[in-house]
Amino acid sequence: MAADAAEKERGKRAALSFAAVALVLGLPLWWKTTETYRASLPYAGISALGSLRFQLTVPVSVVFAKGTLPGAQQRRLPLADTREEEILLNRKPSVTSCYEMTYRSATATEQAALTMATVQEADAALLLLQEDLLGSLTVYVIPETSPLLPQGIGVYIGKHRSAVMRGTQGPGDVLAAISARVQQIVQAMSFTTDSITTALSDRVPMDQLGTDTRRPFKSSLGYEITFSLLNPDPKSHDVHWDIEAAVNSYVQPFLDKLGSVANFSVDSQILYYAVLGVSPRFDKASSSFILSALSLPHVINPVEARLGSSATSLYPVLNFLLYVPERVHSPLYIQDKDGAAVGTNAFHSPRWGGIMVYNIDHPAPDKAPLLLRVDVDMVRVMEVFLAQLRLLFGISQVPLPEEFLLESPGNNGLTDWELDRLLWTRTVENIATVSTTLTSLAQLLDKIGNIVIKDDVASEVYHAVASAQTAMLELASGHLGSAFQASKEAVTSSERAFFDPSLLHLLYFPDDQKFAIYIPLFLPMAVPILLSLVKILREAKQSKKEPMKTD
């Protein structure tokens, strides 16, 4: 009896020891080693970033030439003024434009430049005297009788970040009248309501979006540009195009100007037996073939299948196609919605690219060779493609009064103030994209609690929030260049965090699969321990009842 009692006592102690070890050491150790590591994220910063309250500050310097202002008003210079305007979009986001005006008299060097023979020479000379900061503008006001501007021209907008305007003479406040005109010039050269609306198109109601809002490509860190020559009839046409020289002469200067905006890669190809996929209509009156505006949307899909898939590309692809019609469909012309012939014989598709039909002169059938050599006029072709390229990047002409003279951008295809206007919109769009990306990431991680959040992912999120906040502060300070660079860094960090491989929820098991894995491991060990504990409890209860019965 004594031996049996000792054996039972030993069994009880063993069961309690196993249970104690499992509860005190095993369970905490298992819980710690199997918990999901989740680094902290700046949820408050992400939420604050989602409000998107922009203040776009434009530094403007107004320089008065000698004889522009009356003596009393001239003595008031220099002075400063700030004007703010609310760009009405919706409750969120909100955009406020702030124009920081400084008024001063022209220096002796500037005065000499404003007395040159032509306004183009004056603009080139004044460029050397300006700080030429991104986003800043300078407006030179000359006397009303100055011969610098052509007759009938009141404002000249040059290729750089300056404009020249005629002053007004009168008994009233000339300075106030000039200031209102200056603000009109500044709004044309910086950013407009339409450009900001386009940048925030994903957050603006559809009824506030214009017809051209969806045309430009979305902001990206890089773009791929492909020029394709389509020769559907290589047995009749031997087409030659010097695309390399044309790109170097026309497209590359434009892309070099946009080097701070994104990275670009350019390639070209020739596709034989590539047809448009739409049968043109023959017009007896003009003895030509017609592509109507209604048939143009059906042209792209069949052609795109021959261009090569862009699915492997990391960046958006801009396609520019030069199509030489077959002999049986020549000449081929494009008509607009009103039935009028399109002057360039080309069209573009929003966020895709453009197509130009290149007709050739065929000799008489009895004198026509079996294989006609065709040398493409690349000047005419690249002028069309460059105009389409500007539209696809959202660089379009702002409607201006007739008295405004707008200088051509020249070989670069882009003026300095047009580049600034693009940077304004891209910066706003980048910040909005970062806000959307981080908000989606925060919602995803909050919804799926078993996703690991590594320290490097959290670091990218923190860096994205900090860079976006820096970009908004730089915009409010009028530092466009640093604001755009900060917005690019924010986009890069947010995309790295969002697409990090460790965040793939398919790498983790749902709760039912966890139970299916853990039960076979822990049940064989837990059942004997639980049964032993239950037996010990029963014996303890019985031992308490037996003394009571004895009494």
Side-chain angles (χ1 to χ4, degrees), residues 139-201:
V139 180
Y140 296 93
V141 186
I142 59 176
E144 190 175 10
T145 58
S146 173
L148 183 62
L149 293 179
Q151 190 68 26
I153 299 300
V155 175
Y156 168 80
I157 299 179
K159 296 189 294 185
H160 307 294
R161 297 179 174 90
S162 63
V164 180
M165 64 168 287
R166 291 187 187 274
T168 58
Q169 295 181 353
D173 191 351
V174 178
L175 188 60
I178 289 177
S179 298
R181 190 66 174 278
V182 167
Q183 188 165 358
Q184 182 184 12
I185 298 172
V186 170
Q187 288 177 342
M189 296 180 66
S190 56
F191 50 83
T192 62
T193 301
D194 291 339
S195 63
I196 298 301
T197 302
T198 301
L200 299 172
S201 59

Short mmCIF file of all heavy atoms in Angstrom, two decimals, residues 139-201:
data_model
loop_
_atom_site.label_atom_id
_atom_site.label_comp_id
_atom_site.label_asym_id
_atom_site.label_seq_id
_atom_site.Cartn_x
_atom_site.Cartn_y
_atom_site.Cartn_z
N VAL A 139 8.66 89.49 -64.88
CA VAL A 139 7.89 90.26 -65.86
C VAL A 139 8.50 91.65 -65.95
O VAL A 139 8.59 92.37 -64.94
CB VAL A 139 6.40 90.33 -65.47
CG1 VAL A 139 5.62 91.14 -66.50
CG2 VAL A 139 5.81 88.93 -65.33
N TYR A 140 8.92 92.02 -67.15
CA TYR A 140 9.50 93.34 -67.40
C TYR A 140 8.42 94.24 -68.00
O TYR A 140 7.78 93.88 -68.99
CB TYR A 140 10.70 93.25 -68.34
CG TYR A 140 11.86 92.46 -67.77
CD1 TYR A 140 11.99 91.09 -68.01
CD2 TYR A 140 12.81 93.08 -66.97
CE1 TYR A 140 13.04 90.37 -67.47
CE2 TYR A 140 13.87 92.36 -66.43
CZ TYR A 140 13.97 91.00 -66.68
OH TYR A 140 15.02 90.28 -66.15
N VAL A 141 8.24 95.39 -67.39
CA VAL A 141 7.23 96.34 -67.83
C VAL A 141 7.95 97.51 -68.51
O VAL A 141 8.82 98.15 -67.89
CB VAL A 141 6.37 96.84 -66.66
CG1 VAL A 141 5.23 97.72 -67.17
CG2 VAL A 141 5.82 95.66 -65.88
N ILE A 142 7.60 97.76 -69.77
CA ILE A 142 8.24 98.82 -70.56
C ILE A 142 7.21 99.91 -70.82
O ILE A 142 5.99 99.68 -70.72
CB ILE A 142 8.81 98.28 -71.88
CG1 ILE A 142 7.68 97.64 -72.71
CG2 ILE A 142 9.91 97.25 -71.60
CD1 ILE A 142 8.14 97.16 -74.08
N PRO A 143 7.65 101.10 -71.15
CA PRO A 143 6.69 102.19 -71.44
C PRO A 143 5.77 101.83 -72.60
O PRO A 143 6.11 101.02 -73.47
CB PRO A 143 7.60 103.37 -71.78
CG PRO A 143 8.90 103.06 -71.11
CD PRO A 143 9.05 101.57 -71.16
N GLU A 144 4.61 102.43 -72.62
CA GLU A 144 3.61 102.13 -73.64
C GLU A 144 4.09 102.49 -75.03
O GLU A 144 3.70 101.85 -76.01
CB GLU A 144 2.31 102.88 -73.31
CG GLU A 144 1.13 102.46 -74.16
CD GLU A 144 -0.15 103.13 -73.73
OE1 GLU A 144 -0.08 104.06 -72.89
OE2 GLU A 144 -1.22 102.74 -74.21
N THR A 145 4.94 103.48 -75.13
CA THR A 145 5.42 103.93 -76.44
C THR A 145 6.73 103.25 -76.85
O THR A 145 7.31 103.64 -77.87
CB THR A 145 5.63 105.45 -76.41
OG1 THR A 145 6.55 105.78 -75.35
CG2 THR A 145 4.30 106.17 -76.17
N SER A 146 7.21 102.27 -76.11
CA SER A 146 8.47 101.62 -76.44
C SER A 146 8.36 100.84 -77.75
O SER A 146 7.37 100.14 -77.98
CB SER A 146 8.87 100.67 -75.31
OG SER A 146 10.02 99.92 -75.67
N PRO A 147 9.36 100.93 -78.63
CA PRO A 147 9.34 100.18 -79.90
C PRO A 147 9.82 98.74 -79.76
O PRO A 147 9.96 98.04 -80.77
CB PRO A 147 10.27 100.99 -80.79
CG PRO A 147 11.28 101.55 -79.83
CD PRO A 147 10.54 101.83 -78.55
N LEU A 148 10.09 98.29 -78.54
CA LEU A 148 10.62 96.94 -78.36
C LEU A 148 9.62 95.88 -78.81
O LEU A 148 10.00 94.89 -79.46
CB LEU A 148 11.01 96.72 -76.90
CG LEU A 148 11.66 95.37 -76.56
CD1 LEU A 148 12.97 95.21 -77.29
CD2 LEU A 148 11.87 95.23 -75.06
N LEU A 149 8.37 96.06 -78.51
CA LEU A 149 7.33 95.11 -78.92
C LEU A 149 6.74 95.54 -80.26
O LEU A 149 6.59 96.73 -80.53
CB LEU A 149 6.23 95.02 -77.87
CG LEU A 149 6.61 94.40 -76.52
CD1 LEU A 149 5.41 94.42 -75.57
CD2 LEU A 149 7.11 92.98 -76.69
N PRO A 150 6.39 94.58 -81.12
CA PRO A 150 5.77 94.92 -82.40
C PRO A 150 4.45 95.64 -82.21
O PRO A 150 3.83 95.60 -81.14
CB PRO A 150 5.58 93.56 -83.08
CG PRO A 150 6.53 92.65 -82.39
CD PRO A 150 6.63 93.14 -80.98
N GLN A 151 4.02 96.31 -83.27
CA GLN A 151 2.77 97.04 -83.23
C GLN A 151 1.59 96.08 -82.98
O GLN A 151 1.47 95.04 -83.61
CB GLN A 151 2.55 97.79 -84.55
CG GLN A 151 1.40 98.77 -84.54
CD GLN A 151 1.66 99.97 -83.63
OE1 GLN A 151 2.82 100.31 -83.39
NE2 GLN A 151 0.60 100.60 -83.14
N GLY A 152 0.72 96.46 -82.06
CA GLY A 152 -0.43 95.65 -81.75
C GLY A 152 -0.17 94.54 -80.75
O GLY A 152 -1.10 93.80 -80.40
N ILE A 153 1.05 94.38 -80.28
CA ILE A 153 1.42 93.35 -79.29
C ILE A 153 1.58 94.02 -77.94
O ILE A 153 2.34 94.99 -77.79
CB ILE A 153 2.70 92.62 -79.70
CG1 ILE A 153 2.51 91.90 -81.04
CG2 ILE A 153 3.10 91.62 -78.63
CD1 ILE A 153 1.41 90.86 -81.05
N GLY A 154 0.86 93.51 -76.94
CA GLY A 154 0.95 94.07 -75.61
C GLY A 154 1.80 93.25 -74.65
O GLY A 154 2.34 93.77 -73.67
N VAL A 155 1.95 91.94 -74.92
CA VAL A 155 2.71 91.05 -74.03
C VAL A 155 3.52 90.09 -74.88
O VAL A 155 3.01 89.53 -75.87
CB VAL A 155 1.77 90.26 -73.09
CG1 VAL A 155 2.58 89.26 -72.26
CG2 VAL A 155 0.99 91.19 -72.18
N TYR A 156 4.77 89.92 -74.52
CA TYR A 156 5.64 88.94 -75.17
C TYR A 156 6.08 87.92 -74.13
O TYR A 156 6.62 88.27 -73.08
CB TYR A 156 6.87 89.62 -75.77
CG TYR A 156 7.96 88.67 -76.21
CD1 TYR A 156 7.87 87.99 -77.43
CD2 TYR A 156 9.08 88.44 -75.40
CE1 TYR A 156 8.88 87.12 -77.82
CE2 TYR A 156 10.08 87.58 -75.79
CZ TYR A 156 9.98 86.92 -77.00
OH TYR A 156 10.96 86.05 -77.39
N ILE A 157 5.82 86.64 -74.40
CA ILE A 157 6.25 85.54 -73.52
C ILE A 157 7.36 84.79 -74.23
O ILE A 157 7.15 84.21 -75.30
CB ILE A 157 5.07 84.61 -73.19
CG1 ILE A 157 3.97 85.38 -72.45
CG2 ILE A 157 5.54 83.43 -72.35
CD1 ILE A 157 2.76 84.54 -72.11
N GLY A 158 8.54 84.81 -73.65
CA GLY A 158 9.71 84.23 -74.30
C GLY A 158 9.87 82.74 -74.03
O GLY A 158 8.99 82.07 -73.49
N LYS A 159 11.05 82.24 -74.40
CA LYS A 159 11.34 80.82 -74.24
C LYS A 159 11.81 80.47 -72.83
O LYS A 159 11.90 79.29 -72.50
CB LYS A 159 12.42 80.39 -75.25
CG LYS A 159 11.99 80.49 -76.69
CD LYS A 159 13.01 79.86 -77.63
CE LYS A 159 14.32 80.61 -77.62
NZ LYS A 159 15.27 80.06 -78.62
N HIS A 160 12.11 81.48 -72.05
CA HIS A 160 12.68 81.22 -70.73
C HIS A 160 11.62 81.52 -69.66
O HIS A 160 10.45 81.23 -69.86
CB HIS A 160 13.95 82.02 -70.56
CG HIS A 160 14.93 81.82 -71.69
ND1 HIS A 160 15.56 80.61 -71.91
CD2 HIS A 160 15.34 82.66 -72.68
CE1 HIS A 160 16.35 80.70 -72.98
NE2 HIS A 160 16.22 81.93 -73.48
N ARG A 161 12.00 82.10 -68.57
CA ARG A 161 11.08 82.34 -67.47
C ARG A 161 10.81 83.83 -67.29
O ARG A 161 10.75 84.34 -66.17
CB ARG A 161 11.63 81.74 -66.17
CG ARG A 161 11.78 80.22 -66.24
CD ARG A 161 12.34 79.63 -64.97
NE ARG A 161 12.33 78.19 -65.03
CZ ARG A 161 13.35 77.46 -65.52
NH1 ARG A 161 14.44 78.07 -65.98
NH2 ARG A 161 13.27 76.14 -65.57
N SER A 162 10.64 84.52 -68.40
CA SER A 162 10.40 85.96 -68.35
C SER A 162 9.42 86.36 -69.43
O SER A 162 9.23 85.65 -70.43
CB SER A 162 11.70 86.74 -68.51
OG SER A 162 12.28 86.50 -69.78
N ALA A 163 8.79 87.51 -69.21
CA ALA A 163 7.86 88.09 -70.17
C ALA A 163 8.06 89.60 -70.19
O ALA A 163 8.57 90.20 -69.22
CB ALA A 163 6.42 87.74 -69.81
N VAL A 164 7.67 90.21 -71.29
CA VAL A 164 7.76 91.66 -71.46
C VAL A 164 6.37 92.18 -71.79
O VAL A 164 5.70 91.64 -72.68
CB VAL A 164 8.75 92.04 -72.57
CG1 VAL A 164 8.82 93.56 -72.73
CG2 VAL A 164 10.14 91.48 -72.27
N MET A 165 5.94 93.21 -71.07
CA MET A 165 4.60 93.76 -71.31
C MET A 165 4.67 95.28 -71.39
O MET A 165 5.56 95.92 -70.80
CB MET A 165 3.63 93.33 -70.21
CG MET A 165 3.97 93.86 -68.83
SD MET A 165 2.62 93.63 -67.63
CE MET A 165 1.48 94.88 -68.19
N ARG A 166 3.72 95.83 -72.12
CA ARG A 166 3.62 97.29 -72.19
C ARG A 166 2.91 97.82 -70.95
O ARG A 166 1.94 97.22 -70.47
CB ARG A 166 2.82 97.70 -73.42
CG ARG A 166 3.50 97.44 -74.75
CD ARG A 166 2.69 98.04 -75.88
NE ARG A 166 3.22 97.66 -77.17
CZ ARG A 166 4.19 98.31 -77.81
NH1 ARG A 166 4.73 99.38 -77.23
NH2 ARG A 166 4.62 97.90 -78.98
N GLY A 167 3.39 98.94 -70.46
CA GLY A 167 2.72 99.61 -69.37
C GLY A 167 1.55 100.43 -69.87
O GLY A 167 1.28 100.52 -71.07
N THR A 168 0.83 100.97 -68.95
CA THR A 168 -0.32 101.82 -69.27
C THR A 168 -0.10 103.20 -68.66
O THR A 168 0.54 103.33 -67.61
CB THR A 168 -1.62 101.22 -68.74
OG1 THR A 168 -1.52 101.04 -67.32
CG2 THR A 168 -1.91 99.89 -69.41
N GLN A 169 -0.63 104.19 -69.31
CA GLN A 169 -0.53 105.56 -68.81
C GLN A 169 -1.92 106.09 -68.55
O GLN A 169 -2.85 105.86 -69.32
CB GLN A 169 0.18 106.45 -69.84
CG GLN A 169 1.64 106.07 -70.06
CD GLN A 169 2.32 106.98 -71.06
OE1 GLN A 169 1.68 107.82 -71.69
NE2 GLN A 169 3.64 106.82 -71.20
N GLY A 170 -2.06 106.78 -67.44
CA GLY A 170 -3.37 107.33 -67.10
C GLY A 170 -3.29 108.07 -65.79
O GLY A 170 -2.29 108.02 -65.06
N PRO A 171 -4.36 108.74 -65.44
CA PRO A 171 -4.35 109.52 -64.19
C PRO A 171 -4.50 108.66 -62.95
O PRO A 171 -4.19 109.09 -61.85
CB PRO A 171 -5.57 110.45 -64.37
CG PRO A 171 -6.49 109.67 -65.28
CD PRO A 171 -5.60 108.91 -66.21
N GLY A 172 -4.98 107.44 -63.10
CA GLY A 172 -5.24 106.59 -61.94
C GLY A 172 -3.99 105.90 -61.43
O GLY A 172 -2.84 106.28 -61.73
N ASP A 173 -4.25 104.84 -60.64
CA ASP A 173 -3.17 104.04 -60.07
C ASP A 173 -2.64 103.10 -61.14
O ASP A 173 -3.21 102.04 -61.41
CB ASP A 173 -3.68 103.26 -58.86
CG ASP A 173 -2.54 102.63 -58.07
OD1 ASP A 173 -1.39 102.66 -58.55
OD2 ASP A 173 -2.81 102.10 -56.97
N VAL A 174 -1.55 103.50 -61.78
CA VAL A 174 -0.96 102.69 -62.86
C VAL A 174 -0.43 101.37 -62.31
O VAL A 174 -0.52 100.32 -62.94
CB VAL A 174 0.15 103.48 -63.58
CG1 VAL A 174 0.79 102.62 -64.67
CG2 VAL A 174 -0.41 104.75 -64.17
N LEU A 175 0.11 101.41 -61.11
CA LEU A 175 0.68 100.21 -60.51
C LEU A 175 -0.38 99.14 -60.29
O LEU A 175 -0.14 97.95 -60.53
CB LEU A 175 1.35 100.58 -59.18
CG LEU A 175 2.17 99.48 -58.51
CD1 LEU A 175 3.31 99.02 -59.40
CD2 LEU A 175 2.71 99.97 -57.17
N ALA A 176 -1.57 99.54 -59.86
CA ALA A 176 -2.64 98.57 -59.65
C ALA A 176 -3.12 97.96 -60.96
O ALA A 176 -3.38 96.76 -61.06
CB ALA A 176 -3.81 99.23 -58.92
N ALA A 177 -3.21 98.79 -62.01
CA ALA A 177 -3.62 98.28 -63.32
C ALA A 177 -2.60 97.31 -63.88
O ALA A 177 -2.95 96.28 -64.47
CB ALA A 177 -3.85 99.44 -64.28
N ILE A 178 -1.34 97.61 -63.70
CA ILE A 178 -0.28 96.73 -64.19
C ILE A 178 -0.27 95.42 -63.41
O ILE A 178 -0.05 94.34 -63.97
CB ILE A 178 1.08 97.45 -64.11
CG1 ILE A 178 1.15 98.56 -65.15
CG2 ILE A 178 2.22 96.46 -64.30
CD1 ILE A 178 2.41 99.37 -65.10
N SER A 179 -0.54 95.49 -62.10
CA SER A 179 -0.51 94.28 -61.27
C SER A 179 -1.57 93.28 -61.73
O SER A 179 -1.32 92.06 -61.74
CB SER A 179 -0.74 94.65 -59.81
OG SER A 179 0.29 95.50 -59.35
N ALA A 180 -2.75 93.75 -62.10
CA ALA A 180 -3.79 92.83 -62.58
C ALA A 180 -3.37 92.16 -63.88
O ALA A 180 -3.62 90.97 -64.09
CB ALA A 180 -5.10 93.60 -62.77
N ARG A 181 -2.69 92.90 -64.74
CA ARG A 181 -2.23 92.33 -66.01
C ARG A 181 -1.09 91.33 -65.77
O ARG A 181 -1.00 90.30 -66.43
CB ARG A 181 -1.76 93.46 -66.93
CG ARG A 181 -1.47 93.05 -68.35
CD ARG A 181 -2.74 92.60 -69.06
NE ARG A 181 -2.50 92.33 -70.46
CZ ARG A 181 -2.47 93.26 -71.40
NH1 ARG A 181 -2.62 94.54 -71.08
NH2 ARG A 181 -2.27 92.93 -72.66
N VAL A 182 -0.24 91.65 -64.81
CA VAL A 182 0.87 90.75 -64.49
C VAL A 182 0.35 89.41 -63.99
O VAL A 182 0.88 88.35 -64.35
CB VAL A 182 1.80 91.41 -63.45
CG1 VAL A 182 2.76 90.38 -62.86
CG2 VAL A 182 2.59 92.54 -64.07
N GLN A 183 -0.69 89.44 -63.17
CA GLN A 183 -1.24 88.19 -62.65
C GLN A 183 -1.80 87.32 -63.78
O GLN A 183 -1.69 86.09 -63.74
CB GLN A 183 -2.32 88.47 -61.61
CG GLN A 183 -2.79 87.23 -60.88
CD GLN A 183 -3.56 87.56 -59.63
OE1 GLN A 183 -3.72 88.73 -59.29
NE2 GLN A 183 -4.04 86.55 -58.93
N GLN A 184 -2.37 87.93 -64.79
CA GLN A 184 -2.86 87.18 -65.95
C GLN A 184 -1.70 86.49 -66.67
O GLN A 184 -1.81 85.33 -67.09
CB GLN A 184 -3.60 88.11 -66.90
CG GLN A 184 -4.19 87.41 -68.11
CD GLN A 184 -4.83 88.38 -69.09
OE1 GLN A 184 -4.65 89.60 -68.98
NE2 GLN A 184 -5.57 87.85 -70.05
N ILE A 185 -0.58 87.17 -66.79
CA ILE A 185 0.60 86.59 -67.45
C ILE A 185 1.16 85.45 -66.61
O ILE A 185 1.50 84.38 -67.14
CB ILE A 185 1.66 87.68 -67.66
CG1 ILE A 185 1.13 88.79 -68.58
CG2 ILE A 185 2.94 87.08 -68.24
CD1 ILE A 185 2.06 89.98 -68.69
N VAL A 186 1.23 85.66 -65.31
CA VAL A 186 1.80 84.64 -64.42
C VAL A 186 0.96 83.38 -64.43
O VAL A 186 1.49 82.26 -64.45
CB VAL A 186 1.94 85.22 -63.00
CG1 VAL A 186 2.30 84.12 -62.01
CG2 VAL A 186 2.99 86.31 -62.97
N GLN A 187 -0.35 83.51 -64.44
CA GLN A 187 -1.22 82.33 -64.46
C GLN A 187 -1.05 81.56 -65.77
O GLN A 187 -1.14 80.33 -65.77
CB GLN A 187 -2.67 82.76 -64.29
CG GLN A 187 -3.00 83.23 -62.88
CD GLN A 187 -4.43 83.73 -62.75
OE1 GLN A 187 -5.08 84.04 -63.74
NE2 GLN A 187 -4.91 83.84 -61.52
N ALA A 188 -0.78 82.27 -66.86
CA ALA A 188 -0.57 81.58 -68.14
C ALA A 188 0.76 80.85 -68.18
O ALA A 188 0.90 79.82 -68.85
CB ALA A 188 -0.65 82.58 -69.29
N MET A 189 1.76 81.34 -67.43
CA MET A 189 3.10 80.76 -67.50
C MET A 189 3.39 79.77 -66.38
O MET A 189 4.40 79.06 -66.44
CB MET A 189 4.15 81.89 -67.46
CG MET A 189 4.10 82.83 -68.64
SD MET A 189 5.35 84.13 -68.54
CE MET A 189 6.87 83.19 -68.69
N SER A 190 2.56 79.71 -65.35
CA SER A 190 2.86 78.80 -64.24
C SER A 190 1.95 77.57 -64.31
O SER A 190 2.33 76.55 -64.89
CB SER A 190 2.70 79.53 -62.90
OG SER A 190 1.41 80.10 -62.77
N PHE A 191 0.78 77.65 -63.73
CA PHE A 191 -0.15 76.51 -63.74
C PHE A 191 -1.56 77.07 -63.84
O PHE A 191 -1.83 78.21 -63.46
CB PHE A 191 0.01 75.62 -62.50
CG PHE A 191 -0.02 76.39 -61.20
CD1 PHE A 191 -1.22 76.76 -60.61
CD2 PHE A 191 1.16 76.77 -60.58
CE1 PHE A 191 -1.24 77.47 -59.43
CE2 PHE A 191 1.15 77.48 -59.41
CZ PHE A 191 -0.06 77.84 -58.82
N THR A 192 -2.43 76.25 -64.34
CA THR A 192 -3.82 76.64 -64.50
C THR A 192 -4.71 75.69 -63.71
O THR A 192 -4.27 74.63 -63.23
CB THR A 192 -4.23 76.62 -65.99
OG1 THR A 192 -4.10 75.27 -66.48
CG2 THR A 192 -3.35 77.55 -66.81
N THR A 193 -5.97 76.05 -63.61
CA THR A 193 -6.93 75.18 -62.93
C THR A 193 -7.05 73.85 -63.66
O THR A 193 -7.15 72.78 -63.03
CB THR A 193 -8.30 75.87 -62.84
OG1 THR A 193 -8.15 77.10 -62.12
CG2 THR A 193 -9.31 74.98 -62.13
N ASP A 194 -7.02 73.89 -64.99
CA ASP A 194 -7.14 72.65 -65.77
C ASP A 194 -5.94 71.73 -65.54
O ASP A 194 -6.11 70.50 -65.43
CB ASP A 194 -7.25 72.98 -67.26
CG ASP A 194 -8.58 73.64 -67.60
OD1 ASP A 194 -9.53 73.49 -66.81
OD2 ASP A 194 -8.67 74.32 -68.63
N SER A 195 -4.74 72.30 -65.46
CA SER A 195 -3.56 71.45 -65.26
C SER A 195 -3.56 70.80 -63.88
O SER A 195 -3.19 69.63 -63.74
CB SER A 195 -2.28 72.27 -65.46
OG SER A 195 -2.18 73.30 -64.50
N ILE A 196 -3.98 71.54 -62.85
CA ILE A 196 -4.05 70.95 -61.51
C ILE A 196 -5.18 69.94 -61.43
O ILE A 196 -5.04 68.89 -60.79
CB ILE A 196 -4.23 72.07 -60.46
CG1 ILE A 196 -3.03 73.02 -60.49
CG2 ILE A 196 -4.38 71.47 -59.08
CD1 ILE A 196 -1.69 72.37 -60.22
N THR A 197 -6.27 70.21 -62.11
CA THR A 197 -7.37 69.25 -62.13
C THR A 197 -6.94 67.96 -62.81
O THR A 197 -7.31 66.86 -62.37
CB THR A 197 -8.59 69.85 -62.87
OG1 THR A 197 -8.97 71.06 -62.21
CG2 THR A 197 -9.76 68.88 -62.86
N THR A 198 -6.16 68.08 -63.88
CA THR A 198 -5.64 66.88 -64.55
C THR A 198 -4.74 66.08 -63.63
O THR A 198 -4.80 64.84 -63.59
CB THR A 198 -4.87 67.28 -65.82
OG1 THR A 198 -5.75 68.01 -66.69
CG2 THR A 198 -4.34 66.06 -66.53
N ALA A 199 -3.89 66.77 -62.85
CA ALA A 199 -2.99 66.07 -61.93
C ALA A 199 -3.76 65.34 -60.83
O ALA A 199 -3.31 64.29 -60.35
CB ALA A 199 -2.02 67.07 -61.31
N LEU A 200 -4.92 65.87 -60.44
CA LEU A 200 -5.72 65.27 -59.37
C LEU A 200 -6.98 64.63 -59.93
O LEU A 200 -8.02 64.60 -59.26
CB LEU A 200 -6.09 66.33 -58.33
CG LEU A 200 -4.92 67.00 -57.61
CD1 LEU A 200 -5.40 68.16 -56.76
CD2 LEU A 200 -4.15 66.00 -56.76
N SER A 201 -6.92 64.14 -61.16
CA SER A 201 -8.11 63.62 -61.83
C SER A 201 -8.73 62.43 -61.08
O SER A 201 -9.94 62.22 -61.16
CB SER A 201 -7.77 63.20 -63.26
OG SER A 201 -6.74 62.21 -63.27
#
